[in-house]
Amino acid sequence: MSSQNNQQPNQQSNNNNNQGNVNSPSSVSKKPQLKKPVFIHVSDLEPGSHGHNLILKVVKTNMVVEKTRTDGQKVRIAEAVVGDNTGCITLTARNAQVDVVQPGETIIARNAKIDMFRGYMRLAVDKWGKLEKAPEPAKFEVDTTNDLCAVEYELVEVADEERM
């Protein structure tokens, strides 16, 4: 009986190894093709949305926080007014992103999201996104008359009776 008990765990572990080995030659196939990013305009942004790709021009920047933490790490936060030919919005840039957002520069924001700050929209690029300088300058002028940060949003709770 002891020889049977010794064989059972080995058989189970072999089954688990075969199921979990996703890199075996039989399971490796072609790499999936990457989709081209879909770029949208600033006027298409809505509160609480995410996954946006935008080509933006930096109008002005304002350093909000520049300090050193107790562990010696530097923290820099800047707010930049960025936009395209459909409108403008405030972008919150953190640490290395601050060097990218300089007035007059054209930038590309990939996988950007909209954060709400005191009821106003802010564009942000977190660790899952990328903020980089564009390879060539934009050929559009920023429409500063349509400022999405000037619109205050309020969270309204709807009663159950009103939903029906």
Side-chain angles (χ1 to χ4, degrees):
M1 243 169 106
S2 65
S3 64
Q4 289 177 348
N5 288 341
N6 288 340
Q7 289 177 355
Q8 276 184 326
N10 290 339
Q11 289 174 350
Q12 288 176 350
S13 65
N14 286 341
N15 289 341
N16 289 340
N17 286 342
N18 289 339
Q19 292 171 354
N21 191 359
V22 293
N23 292 329
S24 66
S26 62
S27 66
V28 174
S29 62
K30 285 184 168 181
K31 289 183 180 178
Q33 287 190 342
L34 297 176
K35 295 179 186 176
K36 291 201 173 215
V38 177
F39 289 93
I40 65 168
H41 293 286
V42 172
S43 61
D44 298 331
L45 298 174
E46 295 177 353
S49 57
H50 56 87
H52 304 299
N53 298 314
L54 300 122
I55 298 175
L56 305 163
K57 190 181 276 189
V58 182
V59 178
K60 64 180 179 177
T61 60
N62 178 29
M63 186 66 70
V64 178
V65 174
E66 190 169 11
K67 65 180 181 178
T68 305
R69 293 181 10 184
T70 56
D71 62 356
Q73 187 178 11
K74 289 186 178 181
V75 176
R76 296 185 305 161
I77 299 175
E79 289 184 344
V81 176
V82 297
D84 60 13
N85 56 350
T86 64
C88 65
I89 191 167
T90 301
L91 169 75
T92 304
R94 299 178 179 276
N95 300 326
Q97 295 175 348
V98 173
D99 299 329
V100 176
V101 286
Q102 298 300 322
E105 290 287 336
T106 301
I107 60 173
I108 298 174
R110 298 183 190 273
N111 201 20
K113 64 178 183 172
I114 298 295
D115 286 334
M116 297 304 290
F117 179 71
R118 297 184 182 166
Y120 297 95
M121 291 197 311
R122 294 278 192 270
L123 187 66
V125 179
D126 59 8
K127 67 180 182 178
W128 303 110
K130 186 174 184 180
L131 191 65
E132 61 186 350
K133 288 185 181 181
E136 57 187 43
K139 296 181 172 108
F140 55 80
E141 289 298 318
V142 177
D143 180 14
T144 55
T145 58
N146 183 17
D147 188 2
L148 297 184
C149 291
V151 179
E152 184 176 8
Y153 292 87
E154 184 176 338
L155 180 63
V156 178
E157 292 186 27
V158 179
D160 289 334
E161 298 159 1
E162 293 178 7
R163 289 183 187 170
M164 293 181 186

